[in-house]
Amino acid sequence: SMGVAAVPACIQFVGFFWLPESPRYLAQNGDVERAAAVLRKLRGGGSPEQARRDLLALANLAPEDIGDVRAGLREIRDTPHLRSIFKLGLGLMCLQQFSGINTVMYYGASILIACGFNENQSVALTAALALAQGLGIVISLPLWEKVGRRRLLVPSTLGAAMAMAFVAAAFAAGGSSGPAPLAGLVGVVAYLLAFGLGLSSGPWVVNSEIYPARVRGLGQSAACTMNWAANYVVAATFLTLRKVLGEPGTFLVFSAVG
């Protein structure tokens, strides 16, 4: 059954052979014709006038907006406002992971067993956990442009922190016997729903928008690296934290991060 997880990765790998180069890269390297073709393909036709304006903007990027990695790193180091932008972007990625999301996704069945569900029930309920986060994401989709980034991220973060605190309190109230199963499940589902409303996609949305063109590649790469590095730290330390602090202390730590 573990091999099934390789199927999506294999499909994605095959799809990469049909993945076009980005229009920005092509235009910067003088291949304007291919850049125009990629723009038309990605936008399904769209407005020819808009495509022409976008292509002109790409082709006219100043040399300093292209740069190289070393020059970009030096500029980030020496420019206070760029450092602030990177701190914001990377900080959001850390917040997303250190709020505890992937402990719930990776160890959801184990957490539900600790809540009092049997093994079969816990495995079945992990689908409900994924559904709760997915529901939050779907609800948030039309709101990013209507409400704004901050107005979704702040309540999502607070809601996730409060739900995680509820889970911690449920474990603490249950003592050595664990919380009432329903209380633990409600807390975890509420956490995932609140997380999906903003913290799930919000850091990625913000990181896609805040970097100047000349360091956008560096910014996106750094953000993705930070996200997975924080993911690794949280996943690798969760079981140790449970052993040392117990469930109430561990979930309280994640709540405090939010």
Side-chain angles (χ1 to χ4, degrees):
S1 61
M2 294 295 290
V4 174
V7 174
C10 291
I11 294 173
Q12 187 177 38
F13 175 75
V14 173
F16 280 145
F17 289 101
W18 284 271
L19 183 68
E21 189 55 82
S22 76
R24 181 172 181 266
Y25 174 83
L26 292 170
Q28 286 176 356
N29 286 274
D31 199 341
V32 179
E33 186 176 333
R34 279 182 65 199
V38 171
L39 272 176
R40 287 193 296 269
K41 181 178 180 181
L42 292 177
R43 295 181 177 177
S47 166
E49 179 59 25
Q50 181 62 49
R52 188 191 67 79
R53 287 198 300 266
D54 290 345
L55 191 61
L56 186 62
L58 290 173
N60 290 335
L61 278 175
E64 60 268 23
D65 285 343
I66 300 174
D68 58 32
V69 173
R70 290 183 180 178
L73 290 173
R74 283 195 300 268
E75 184 179 7
I76 294 163
R77 181 193 64 194
D78 298 335
T79 310
H81 82 272
L82 282 181
R83 290 201 303 271
S84 298
I85 289 172
F86 271 72
K87 287 176 183 177
L88 171 63
L90 303 188
L92 282 173
M93 288 304 193
C94 286
L95 173 63
Q96 183 195 68
Q97 292 300 322
F98 290 141
S99 69
I101 179 59
N102 280 318
T103 61
V104 177
M105 300 310 295
Y106 296 160
Y107 300 104
S110 174
I111 293 170
L112 292 176
I113 288 173
C115 288
F117 293 96
N118 64 45
E119 186 172 345
N120 290 335
Q121 290 173 327
S122 299
V123 172
L125 284 170
T126 54
L129 301 186
L131 197 61
Q133 185 183 352
L135 178 61
I137 293 171
V138 170
I139 293 173
S140 74
L141 287 177
L143 299 178
W144 286 110
E145 301 305 324
K146 293 180 180 179
V147 176
R149 282 63 169 141
R150 181 183 176 85
R151 289 183 179 178
L152 276 181
L153 277 168
V154 171
S156 170
T157 303
L158 291 176
M162 291 172 62
M164 196 63 89
F166 178 84
V167 175
F171 272 102
S176 59
S177 61
L182 184 58
L185 178 62
V186 167
V188 173
V189 169
Y191 165 78
L192 288 169
L193 182 60
F195 183 91
L197 285 170
L199 264 180
S200 183
S201 50
W204 297 101
V205 172
V206 172
N207 271 277
S208 72
E209 298 173 335
I210 59 175
Y211 302 107
R214 60 187 179 277
V215 293
R216 186 168 297 146
L218 274 174
Q220 294 283 55
S221 300
C224 189
T225 301
M226 180 61 73
N227 186 277
W228 283 104
N231 180 1
Y232 172 79
V233 170
V234 171
T237 58
F238 176 67
L239 296 179
T240 302
L241 285 174
R242 280 182 68 181
K243 185 176 180 180
V244 174
L245 302 177
E247 280 85 1
T250 300
F251 292 119
L252 198 58
V253 167
F254 293 133
S255 175
V257 170

